[in-house]
Short mmCIF file of all heavy atoms in Angstrom, two decimals:
data_model
loop_
_atom_site.label_atom_id
_atom_site.label_comp_id
_atom_site.label_asym_id
_atom_site.label_seq_id
_atom_site.Cartn_x
_atom_site.Cartn_y
_atom_site.Cartn_z
N MET S 18 9.28 -36.18 2.46
CA MET S 18 7.90 -36.34 3.13
C MET S 18 7.69 -37.72 3.55
O MET S 18 8.11 -38.67 2.93
CB MET S 18 6.77 -35.91 2.10
CG MET S 18 5.65 -35.41 2.78
SD MET S 18 4.48 -34.50 1.74
CE MET S 18 4.15 -35.62 0.39
N LYS S 19 7.01 -37.87 4.67
CA LYS S 19 6.85 -39.21 5.30
C LYS S 19 5.54 -39.73 4.77
O LYS S 19 4.68 -39.01 4.42
CB LYS S 19 6.90 -39.15 6.77
CG LYS S 19 8.28 -38.66 7.33
CD LYS S 19 8.23 -38.58 8.85
CE LYS S 19 9.43 -38.00 9.32
NZ LYS S 19 9.38 -37.79 10.76
N LYS S 20 5.39 -41.09 4.73
CA LYS S 20 4.11 -41.71 4.41
C LYS S 20 2.96 -41.33 5.27
O LYS S 20 1.81 -41.08 4.75
CB LYS S 20 4.25 -43.26 4.54
CG LYS S 20 5.08 -43.85 3.43
CD LYS S 20 5.07 -45.43 3.51
CE LYS S 20 5.94 -45.99 2.41
NZ LYS S 20 5.92 -47.46 2.53
N ASP S 21 3.23 -41.10 6.54
CA ASP S 21 2.15 -40.74 7.43
C ASP S 21 1.73 -39.25 7.47
O ASP S 21 0.88 -38.76 8.31
CB ASP S 21 2.32 -41.37 8.68
CG ASP S 21 3.59 -40.96 9.39
OD1 ASP S 21 4.56 -40.37 8.65
OD2 ASP S 21 3.72 -40.94 10.65
N ASP S 22 2.51 -38.43 6.75
CA ASP S 22 2.16 -37.04 6.70
C ASP S 22 0.62 -36.75 6.10
O ASP S 22 0.32 -37.41 5.15
CB ASP S 22 3.10 -36.23 5.75
CG ASP S 22 4.43 -36.00 6.49
OD1 ASP S 22 4.50 -36.21 7.68
OD2 ASP S 22 5.41 -35.78 5.78
N ASP S 23 -0.13 -36.00 6.77
CA ASP S 23 -1.50 -35.81 6.47
C ASP S 23 -1.78 -34.30 6.15
O ASP S 23 -1.69 -33.50 7.09
CB ASP S 23 -2.39 -36.35 7.59
CG ASP S 23 -3.87 -36.32 7.21
OD1 ASP S 23 -4.18 -36.06 6.03
OD2 ASP S 23 -4.68 -36.46 8.19
N PHE S 24 -2.10 -34.10 4.96
CA PHE S 24 -2.33 -32.69 4.45
C PHE S 24 -3.87 -32.53 4.17
O PHE S 24 -4.03 -31.44 3.57
CB PHE S 24 -1.51 -32.36 3.23
CG PHE S 24 0.03 -32.33 3.53
CD1 PHE S 24 0.83 -33.46 3.28
CD2 PHE S 24 0.65 -31.19 4.20
CE1 PHE S 24 2.08 -33.44 3.56
CE2 PHE S 24 1.90 -31.23 4.57
CZ PHE S 24 2.73 -32.29 4.17
N LYS S 25 -4.69 -33.33 4.65
CA LYS S 25 -6.08 -33.18 4.25
C LYS S 25 -6.71 -31.89 4.88
O LYS S 25 -7.78 -31.41 4.37
CB LYS S 25 -6.96 -34.45 4.54
CG LYS S 25 -7.04 -34.75 5.98
CD LYS S 25 -7.76 -35.99 6.15
CE LYS S 25 -7.82 -36.38 7.66
NZ LYS S 25 -8.48 -37.79 7.82
N ASN S 26 -6.14 -31.38 5.96
CA ASN S 26 -6.72 -30.28 6.58
C ASN S 26 -5.83 -29.00 6.35
O ASN S 26 -5.99 -28.03 7.03
CB ASN S 26 -6.77 -30.49 8.16
CG ASN S 26 -7.90 -31.60 8.43
OD1 ASN S 26 -8.90 -31.66 7.81
ND2 ASN S 26 -7.55 -32.34 9.53
N ALA S 27 -4.93 -29.12 5.44
CA ALA S 27 -3.99 -28.02 5.08
C ALA S 27 -4.78 -26.90 4.53
O ALA S 27 -5.77 -27.02 3.65
CB ALA S 27 -2.91 -28.47 4.20
N LYS S 28 -4.32 -25.78 4.74
CA LYS S 28 -5.03 -24.47 4.13
C LYS S 28 -3.95 -23.80 3.27
O LYS S 28 -2.77 -23.79 3.55
CB LYS S 28 -5.47 -23.60 5.27
CG LYS S 28 -6.48 -24.13 6.13
CD LYS S 28 -6.93 -23.24 7.21
CE LYS S 28 -7.93 -23.87 8.09
NZ LYS S 28 -8.35 -23.04 9.24
N PRO S 29 -4.42 -23.20 2.13
CA PRO S 29 -3.57 -22.34 1.24
C PRO S 29 -2.90 -21.23 2.05
O PRO S 29 -3.49 -20.62 3.03
CB PRO S 29 -4.41 -21.83 0.15
CG PRO S 29 -5.69 -22.52 0.35
CD PRO S 29 -5.72 -23.11 1.68
N ASN S 30 -1.67 -20.87 1.65
CA ASN S 30 -1.05 -19.77 2.26
C ASN S 30 -1.71 -18.50 1.94
O ASN S 30 -1.73 -17.99 0.82
CB ASN S 30 0.46 -19.71 1.69
CG ASN S 30 1.32 -18.64 2.34
OD1 ASN S 30 0.87 -17.71 3.09
ND2 ASN S 30 2.58 -18.65 2.14
N PRO S 31 -2.21 -17.78 2.98
CA PRO S 31 -2.87 -16.48 2.63
C PRO S 31 -1.95 -15.41 2.18
O PRO S 31 -2.41 -14.42 1.59
CB PRO S 31 -3.40 -16.10 4.02
CG PRO S 31 -2.63 -16.71 5.05
CD PRO S 31 -2.09 -18.01 4.38
N HIS S 32 -0.72 -15.55 2.26
CA HIS S 32 0.29 -14.54 1.86
C HIS S 32 0.92 -14.96 0.50
O HIS S 32 1.99 -14.35 0.08
CB HIS S 32 1.42 -14.38 2.95
CG HIS S 32 0.81 -13.99 4.17
ND1 HIS S 32 0.37 -12.89 4.60
CD2 HIS S 32 0.79 -14.74 5.39
CE1 HIS S 32 -0.15 -12.74 5.78
NE2 HIS S 32 0.12 -13.98 6.36
N ALA S 33 0.42 -15.89 -0.19
CA ALA S 33 0.90 -16.49 -1.46
C ALA S 33 1.19 -15.32 -2.45
O ALA S 33 2.19 -15.38 -3.17
CB ALA S 33 0.16 -17.58 -1.98
N SER S 34 0.24 -14.36 -2.50
CA SER S 34 0.40 -13.38 -3.52
C SER S 34 1.58 -12.37 -3.24
O SER S 34 1.91 -11.66 -4.11
CB SER S 34 -0.92 -12.48 -3.60
OG SER S 34 -1.15 -11.81 -2.49
N GLN S 35 2.15 -12.44 -2.09
CA GLN S 35 3.16 -11.43 -1.62
C GLN S 35 4.54 -12.14 -1.75
O GLN S 35 5.55 -11.62 -1.39
CB GLN S 35 2.98 -11.06 -0.17
CG GLN S 35 1.64 -10.22 -0.13
CD GLN S 35 1.29 -9.89 1.36
OE1 GLN S 35 2.11 -10.24 2.22
NE2 GLN S 35 0.24 -9.17 1.55
N LEU S 36 4.54 -13.42 -2.20
CA LEU S 36 5.80 -14.21 -2.26
C LEU S 36 6.64 -13.61 -3.39
O LEU S 36 6.13 -12.84 -4.37
CB LEU S 36 5.57 -15.66 -2.50
CG LEU S 36 4.81 -16.38 -1.23
CD1 LEU S 36 4.51 -17.85 -1.61
CD2 LEU S 36 5.65 -16.30 0.00
N LYS S 37 7.96 -13.98 -3.49
CA LYS S 37 8.81 -13.52 -4.53
C LYS S 37 8.38 -14.08 -5.76
O LYS S 37 7.94 -15.10 -6.06
CB LYS S 37 10.21 -14.09 -4.06
CG LYS S 37 10.75 -13.41 -2.84
CD LYS S 37 12.09 -13.94 -2.50
CE LYS S 37 12.57 -13.32 -1.21
NZ LYS S 37 12.83 -14.37 -0.28
N LYS S 38 8.65 -13.29 -6.82
CA LYS S 38 8.43 -13.70 -8.20
C LYS S 38 9.67 -13.84 -9.00
O LYS S 38 10.77 -13.12 -8.77
CB LYS S 38 7.64 -12.51 -8.93
CG LYS S 38 6.31 -12.07 -8.25
CD LYS S 38 5.24 -13.20 -8.27
CE LYS S 38 4.05 -12.68 -7.65
NZ LYS S 38 3.09 -13.75 -7.30
N ILE S 39 9.70 -14.77 -9.92
CA ILE S 39 10.79 -15.03 -10.72
C ILE S 39 10.83 -14.20 -11.95
O ILE S 39 9.75 -14.04 -12.57
CB ILE S 39 10.91 -16.51 -11.19
CG1 ILE S 39 11.00 -17.38 -9.91
CG2 ILE S 39 12.00 -16.72 -12.14
CD1 ILE S 39 10.89 -18.86 -10.26
N ILE S 40 11.87 -13.39 -12.13
CA ILE S 40 11.96 -12.46 -13.31
C ILE S 40 13.36 -12.68 -14.04
O ILE S 40 14.20 -13.30 -13.45
CB ILE S 40 11.80 -10.96 -12.89
CG1 ILE S 40 13.03 -10.57 -11.98
CG2 ILE S 40 10.48 -10.72 -12.24
CD1 ILE S 40 13.12 -9.19 -11.84
N THR S 41 13.44 -12.09 -15.16
CA THR S 41 14.77 -12.14 -15.98
C THR S 41 15.04 -10.56 -16.16
O THR S 41 14.15 -9.83 -16.61
CB THR S 41 14.50 -12.75 -17.23
OG1 THR S 41 14.12 -14.11 -17.03
CG2 THR S 41 15.86 -12.80 -18.04
N ILE S 42 16.22 -10.22 -15.83
CA ILE S 42 16.83 -8.95 -16.04
C ILE S 42 18.13 -9.00 -16.66
O ILE S 42 18.84 -9.98 -16.66
CB ILE S 42 16.88 -8.14 -14.80
CG1 ILE S 42 17.81 -8.70 -13.82
CG2 ILE S 42 15.48 -7.83 -14.15
CD1 ILE S 42 18.16 -7.83 -12.57
N ARG S 43 18.37 -7.93 -17.43
CA ARG S 43 19.73 -7.91 -18.15
C ARG S 43 20.58 -6.91 -17.39
O ARG S 43 20.33 -5.84 -17.11
CB ARG S 43 19.59 -7.34 -19.60
CG ARG S 43 18.76 -8.35 -20.45
CD ARG S 43 18.64 -7.84 -21.84
NE ARG S 43 17.67 -8.61 -22.56
CZ ARG S 43 18.04 -9.69 -23.18
NH1 ARG S 43 19.22 -10.28 -23.14
NH2 ARG S 43 17.05 -10.40 -23.94
N ILE S 44 21.80 -7.42 -16.92
CA ILE S 44 22.73 -6.69 -16.18
C ILE S 44 24.18 -6.68 -16.89
O ILE S 44 24.53 -7.69 -17.41
CB ILE S 44 22.93 -7.31 -14.80
CG1 ILE S 44 21.63 -7.22 -14.07
CG2 ILE S 44 23.87 -6.56 -13.95
CD1 ILE S 44 21.60 -7.81 -12.61
N ASP S 45 24.70 -5.50 -16.88
CA ASP S 45 26.14 -5.42 -17.48
C ASP S 45 26.98 -6.48 -16.80
O ASP S 45 26.87 -6.68 -15.59
CB ASP S 45 26.71 -3.99 -17.41
CG ASP S 45 25.89 -2.95 -18.08
OD1 ASP S 45 25.08 -3.43 -19.17
OD2 ASP S 45 26.09 -1.81 -17.84
N GLN S 46 27.90 -7.02 -17.53
CA GLN S 46 28.88 -7.95 -17.01
C GLN S 46 29.67 -7.39 -15.86
O GLN S 46 29.95 -8.05 -14.85
CB GLN S 46 29.79 -8.51 -18.18
CG GLN S 46 30.70 -9.50 -17.72
CD GLN S 46 29.93 -10.85 -17.44
OE1 GLN S 46 29.08 -11.31 -18.22
NE2 GLN S 46 30.18 -11.45 -16.36
N GLU S 47 30.01 -6.04 -15.96
CA GLU S 47 30.76 -5.50 -15.00
C GLU S 47 30.03 -5.41 -13.68
O GLU S 47 30.60 -5.69 -12.58
CB GLU S 47 31.12 -4.03 -15.40
CG GLU S 47 31.97 -3.31 -14.43
CD GLU S 47 32.26 -1.93 -14.90
OE1 GLU S 47 31.83 -1.40 -15.96
OE2 GLU S 47 32.94 -1.08 -14.21
N ILE S 48 28.75 -5.15 -13.61
CA ILE S 48 27.97 -5.20 -12.41
C ILE S 48 27.78 -6.53 -11.87
O ILE S 48 27.90 -6.80 -10.66
CB ILE S 48 26.59 -4.41 -12.78
CG1 ILE S 48 26.82 -3.03 -13.16
CG2 ILE S 48 25.59 -4.64 -11.53
CD1 ILE S 48 25.54 -2.35 -13.67
N LEU S 49 27.58 -7.53 -12.76
CA LEU S 49 27.44 -8.88 -12.38
C LEU S 49 28.70 -9.40 -11.78
O LEU S 49 28.65 -10.08 -10.63
CB LEU S 49 27.08 -9.78 -13.48
CG LEU S 49 26.79 -11.25 -13.18
CD1 LEU S 49 25.62 -11.35 -12.26
CD2 LEU S 49 26.39 -12.00 -14.41
N ASN S 50 29.91 -9.08 -12.26
CA ASN S 50 31.10 -9.47 -11.67
C ASN S 50 31.24 -8.79 -10.34
O ASN S 50 31.86 -9.47 -9.32
CB ASN S 50 32.36 -8.96 -12.60
CG ASN S 50 32.41 -9.79 -13.81
OD1 ASN S 50 31.67 -10.88 -13.94
ND2 ASN S 50 33.05 -9.24 -14.82
N TYR S 51 30.80 -7.57 -10.16
CA TYR S 51 30.95 -6.90 -8.87
C TYR S 51 30.15 -7.61 -7.82
O TYR S 51 30.61 -8.01 -6.62
CB TYR S 51 30.36 -5.40 -8.98
CG TYR S 51 30.29 -4.85 -7.56
CD1 TYR S 51 31.27 -4.31 -6.82
CD2 TYR S 51 28.98 -4.76 -7.01
CE1 TYR S 51 31.05 -3.70 -5.62
CE2 TYR S 51 28.69 -4.18 -5.72
CZ TYR S 51 29.80 -3.67 -5.11
OH TYR S 51 29.64 -3.17 -3.87
N PHE S 52 28.94 -7.99 -8.07
CA PHE S 52 28.02 -8.79 -7.23
C PHE S 52 28.68 -10.16 -6.86
O PHE S 52 28.50 -10.66 -5.74
CB PHE S 52 26.63 -8.83 -7.68
CG PHE S 52 25.96 -7.57 -7.34
CD1 PHE S 52 25.52 -6.71 -8.38
CD2 PHE S 52 25.52 -7.17 -6.06
CE1 PHE S 52 24.88 -5.55 -8.11
CE2 PHE S 52 24.82 -6.02 -5.85
CZ PHE S 52 24.54 -5.16 -6.87
N ARG S 53 29.19 -10.78 -7.83
CA ARG S 53 29.73 -12.11 -7.68
C ARG S 53 31.00 -12.05 -6.66
O ARG S 53 31.15 -12.92 -5.94
CB ARG S 53 30.07 -12.81 -9.04
CG ARG S 53 28.79 -13.28 -9.70
CD ARG S 53 29.16 -14.03 -11.05
NE ARG S 53 27.97 -14.57 -11.61
CZ ARG S 53 27.81 -14.98 -12.76
NH1 ARG S 53 28.97 -14.85 -13.61
NH2 ARG S 53 26.80 -15.54 -13.19
N GLU S 54 31.91 -11.02 -6.98
CA GLU S 54 32.98 -10.94 -6.03
C GLU S 54 32.56 -10.53 -4.59
O GLU S 54 33.07 -11.14 -3.67
CB GLU S 54 33.83 -9.79 -6.57
CG GLU S 54 34.61 -10.06 -7.77
CD GLU S 54 35.35 -8.92 -8.54
OE1 GLU S 54 35.52 -7.94 -7.84
OE2 GLU S 54 35.79 -9.19 -9.71
N LEU S 55 31.50 -9.67 -4.48
CA LEU S 55 31.05 -9.23 -3.23
C LEU S 55 30.37 -10.58 -2.50
O LEU S 55 30.53 -10.78 -1.26
CB LEU S 55 29.92 -8.19 -3.31
CG LEU S 55 29.46 -7.60 -2.06
CD1 LEU S 55 30.62 -6.94 -1.29
CD2 LEU S 55 28.35 -6.50 -2.42
N ALA S 56 29.75 -11.36 -3.29
CA ALA S 56 29.20 -12.60 -2.80
C ALA S 56 30.22 -13.60 -2.21
O ALA S 56 30.16 -14.22 -1.18
CB ALA S 56 28.41 -13.35 -3.90
N GLU S 57 31.32 -13.63 -2.89
CA GLU S 57 32.46 -14.50 -2.36
C GLU S 57 33.00 -13.90 -1.08
O GLU S 57 33.35 -14.71 -0.16
CB GLU S 57 33.60 -14.61 -3.45
CG GLU S 57 33.27 -15.58 -4.59
CD GLU S 57 34.53 -15.82 -5.33
OE1 GLU S 57 35.69 -15.80 -4.90
OE2 GLU S 57 34.37 -16.16 -6.69
N GLU S 58 33.10 -12.67 -0.97
CA GLU S 58 33.67 -12.06 0.16
C GLU S 58 32.68 -12.19 1.38
O GLU S 58 33.18 -12.44 2.48
CB GLU S 58 33.89 -10.56 0.05
CG GLU S 58 35.05 -10.15 -1.02
CD GLU S 58 35.03 -8.69 -1.37
OE1 GLU S 58 34.42 -7.94 -0.69
OE2 GLU S 58 35.73 -8.36 -2.37
N THR S 59 31.37 -12.04 1.11
CA THR S 59 30.44 -12.16 2.22
C THR S 59 29.84 -13.49 2.52
O THR S 59 29.38 -13.66 3.58
CB THR S 59 29.24 -11.21 1.93
OG1 THR S 59 28.58 -11.61 0.74
CG2 THR S 59 29.77 -9.71 1.82
N GLY S 60 29.97 -14.37 1.53
CA GLY S 60 29.43 -15.79 1.74
C GLY S 60 27.95 -15.74 1.52
O GLY S 60 27.26 -16.75 1.69
N LEU S 61 27.37 -14.73 0.85
CA LEU S 61 25.93 -14.67 0.53
C LEU S 61 25.85 -14.95 -0.94
O LEU S 61 26.72 -14.48 -1.71
CB LEU S 61 25.40 -13.35 0.82
CG LEU S 61 25.27 -12.98 2.28
CD1 LEU S 61 24.83 -11.54 2.51
CD2 LEU S 61 24.24 -13.85 3.07
N PRO S 62 24.69 -15.45 -1.44
CA PRO S 62 24.44 -15.66 -2.83
C PRO S 62 24.37 -14.24 -3.54
O PRO S 62 23.85 -13.35 -2.97
CB PRO S 62 23.21 -16.31 -2.97
CG PRO S 62 22.98 -16.94 -1.58
CD PRO S 62 23.70 -16.09 -0.69
N TYR S 63 24.84 -14.20 -4.73
CA TYR S 63 24.90 -12.82 -5.34
C TYR S 63 23.40 -12.32 -5.66
O TYR S 63 23.21 -11.12 -5.59
CB TYR S 63 25.78 -12.75 -6.68
CG TYR S 63 25.18 -13.53 -7.86
CD1 TYR S 63 24.41 -12.77 -8.84
CD2 TYR S 63 25.41 -14.82 -8.01
CE1 TYR S 63 23.98 -13.42 -9.91
CE2 TYR S 63 24.95 -15.56 -9.17
CZ TYR S 63 24.24 -14.84 -10.06
OH TYR S 63 23.70 -15.50 -11.18
N GLN S 64 22.46 -13.18 -5.96
CA GLN S 64 21.14 -12.74 -6.17
C GLN S 64 20.52 -12.20 -4.95
O GLN S 64 19.89 -11.29 -5.07
CB GLN S 64 20.25 -14.02 -6.56
CG GLN S 64 20.62 -14.71 -7.84
CD GLN S 64 21.61 -15.90 -7.60
OE1 GLN S 64 22.29 -15.96 -6.73
NE2 GLN S 64 21.48 -16.77 -8.58
N SER S 65 20.91 -12.79 -3.73
CA SER S 65 20.42 -12.16 -2.46
C SER S 65 21.02 -10.74 -2.21
O SER S 65 20.33 -9.87 -1.79
CB SER S 65 20.85 -13.02 -1.30
OG SER S 65 20.13 -14.25 -1.42
N LEU S 66 22.26 -10.61 -2.62
CA LEU S 66 22.95 -9.27 -2.45
C LEU S 66 22.25 -8.26 -3.44
O LEU S 66 21.94 -7.19 -3.00
CB LEU S 66 24.42 -9.35 -2.85
CG LEU S 66 25.23 -10.07 -1.75
CD1 LEU S 66 26.67 -10.34 -2.34
CD2 LEU S 66 25.33 -9.33 -0.46
N ILE S 67 21.94 -8.72 -4.59
CA ILE S 67 21.24 -7.73 -5.54
C ILE S 67 19.88 -7.34 -4.91
O ILE S 67 19.56 -6.17 -4.94
CB ILE S 67 21.09 -8.37 -6.88
CG1 ILE S 67 22.43 -8.55 -7.63
CG2 ILE S 67 20.13 -7.55 -7.82
CD1 ILE S 67 22.47 -9.32 -8.89
N LYS S 68 19.22 -8.26 -4.35
CA LYS S 68 17.89 -8.05 -3.77
C LYS S 68 18.07 -7.13 -2.51
O LYS S 68 17.30 -6.11 -2.37
CB LYS S 68 17.26 -9.33 -3.40
CG LYS S 68 15.82 -9.19 -2.72
CD LYS S 68 15.27 -10.35 -2.17
CE LYS S 68 16.04 -10.67 -0.92
NZ LYS S 68 15.55 -11.74 -0.04
N LEU S 69 18.96 -7.37 -1.70
CA LEU S 69 19.24 -6.50 -0.55
C LEU S 69 19.53 -5.12 -0.90
O LEU S 69 18.99 -4.26 -0.19
CB LEU S 69 20.29 -7.18 0.43
CG LEU S 69 19.90 -8.46 1.12
CD1 LEU S 69 21.19 -9.09 1.80
CD2 LEU S 69 18.76 -8.12 2.22
N ILE S 70 20.48 -4.92 -1.77
CA ILE S 70 20.80 -3.59 -2.10
C ILE S 70 19.76 -2.81 -2.79
O ILE S 70 19.44 -1.76 -2.61
CB ILE S 70 22.17 -3.69 -3.08
CG1 ILE S 70 23.37 -4.15 -2.08
CG2 ILE S 70 22.45 -2.28 -3.65
CD1 ILE S 70 24.59 -4.44 -2.82
N SER S 71 19.01 -3.57 -3.71
CA SER S 71 17.85 -2.95 -4.43
C SER S 71 16.83 -2.48 -3.31
O SER S 71 16.25 -1.41 -3.51
CB SER S 71 17.31 -3.89 -5.47
OG SER S 71 18.19 -4.24 -6.38
N LYS S 72 16.55 -3.37 -2.52
CA LYS S 72 15.53 -3.06 -1.47
C LYS S 72 16.02 -1.82 -0.59
O LYS S 72 15.16 -0.98 -0.29
CB LYS S 72 15.27 -4.31 -0.53
CG LYS S 72 14.20 -4.09 0.38
CD LYS S 72 13.87 -5.29 1.29
CE LYS S 72 13.12 -6.26 0.64
NZ LYS S 72 12.66 -7.36 1.49
N GLY S 73 17.24 -1.81 -0.22
CA GLY S 73 17.76 -0.72 0.63
C GLY S 73 17.73 0.62 -0.17
O GLY S 73 17.33 1.62 0.38
N LEU S 74 17.95 0.66 -1.49
CA LEU S 74 17.86 1.75 -2.25
C LEU S 74 16.37 2.23 -2.45
O LEU S 74 16.08 3.52 -2.44
CB LEU S 74 18.40 1.63 -3.71
CG LEU S 74 19.93 1.44 -3.84
CD1 LEU S 74 20.42 0.98 -5.15
CD2 LEU S 74 20.60 2.67 -3.42
N CYS S 75 15.46 1.26 -2.58
CA CYS S 75 14.04 1.67 -2.62
C CYS S 75 13.64 2.32 -1.35
O CYS S 75 12.95 3.41 -1.35
CB CYS S 75 13.19 0.39 -2.83
SG CYS S 75 13.33 -0.22 -4.41
N TYR S 76 14.00 1.72 -0.10
CA TYR S 76 13.57 2.34 1.16
C TYR S 76 14.24 3.69 1.34
O TYR S 76 13.69 4.63 1.87
CB TYR S 76 13.94 1.35 2.31
CG TYR S 76 13.06 0.24 2.36
CD1 TYR S 76 13.61 -1.04 2.66
CD2 TYR S 76 11.68 0.23 2.11
CE1 TYR S 76 12.84 -2.20 2.79
CE2 TYR S 76 10.98 -0.91 2.20
CZ TYR S 76 11.47 -2.00 2.44
OH TYR S 76 10.68 -3.19 2.56
N GLN S 77 15.49 3.80 0.90
CA GLN S 77 16.21 5.04 1.00
C GLN S 77 15.59 6.15 0.19
O GLN S 77 15.40 7.36 0.68
CB GLN S 77 17.70 4.94 0.51
CG GLN S 77 18.65 5.90 0.83
CD GLN S 77 20.01 5.51 0.42
OE1 GLN S 77 20.30 5.03 -0.62
NE2 GLN S 77 20.98 5.59 1.25
N SER S 78 15.04 5.87 -1.00
CA SER S 78 14.40 6.84 -1.92
C SER S 78 13.09 7.32 -1.29
O SER S 78 12.67 8.39 -1.50
CB SER S 78 14.25 6.32 -3.33
OG SER S 78 13.42 5.20 -3.45
N ILE S 79 12.45 6.35 -0.70
CA ILE S 79 11.16 6.74 0.01
C ILE S 79 11.37 7.72 1.08
O ILE S 79 10.51 8.65 1.32
CB ILE S 79 10.43 5.46 0.49
CG1 ILE S 79 10.05 4.44 -0.69
CG2 ILE S 79 9.32 5.80 1.42
CD1 ILE S 79 9.43 3.12 -0.25
N GLN S 80 12.41 7.60 1.90
CA GLN S 80 12.69 8.46 3.08
C GLN S 80 13.12 9.85 2.65
O GLN S 80 13.09 10.72 3.46
CB GLN S 80 13.77 7.77 3.95
CG GLN S 80 13.16 6.51 4.66
CD GLN S 80 14.31 5.89 5.43
OE1 GLN S 80 15.41 6.22 5.41
NE2 GLN S 80 13.81 4.77 6.11
N THR S 81 13.61 9.97 1.38
CA THR S 81 14.14 11.31 1.02
C THR S 81 13.11 12.20 0.33
O THR S 81 12.12 11.73 -0.09
CB THR S 81 15.33 11.20 0.04
OG1 THR S 81 14.96 10.41 -1.05
CG2 THR S 81 16.47 10.67 0.87
#
């Protein structure tokens, strides 16, 4: 941040309640290894892959 940055007229993010939440989940080592290997192959972080696949499964279950 620069010295001359002025945030006195800044407004709170109206979508803040919809932002991502930090959680802790327990995943079998085999599943975690799968996502980490997939992450290396795709160049994406494994956490992002878990999110993308989970989101895809949610949307898929809604459509059926």
Side-chain angles (χ1 to χ4, degrees):
M18 204 163 57
K19 298 176 184 175
K20 286 183 180 181
D21 56 343
D22 285 343
D23 184 11
F24 293 100
K25 67 181 174 189
N26 294 324
K28 296 180 183 177
N30 183 348
H32 305 287
S34 65
Q35 299 173 1
L36 297 176
K37 296 176 180 125
K38 304 293 181 196
I39 296 173
I40 63 166
T41 302
I42 59 173
R43 297 182 189 275
I44 297 179
D45 294 339
Q46 187 64 48
E47 181 181 1
I48 295 170
L49 186 57
N50 290 342
Y51 168 78
F52 280 108
R53 285 183 171 162
E54 289 173 12
L55 189 59
E57 281 190 30
E58 292 172 14
T59 61
L61 295 170
Y63 73 92
Q64 296 96 330
S65 296
L66 289 171
I67 292 171
K68 182 187 73 171
L69 288 170
I70 292 173
S71 298
K72 189 181 273 191
L74 289 170
C75 289
Y76 289 140
Q77 194 175 48
S78 68
I79 291 171
Q80 293 176 355
T81 57

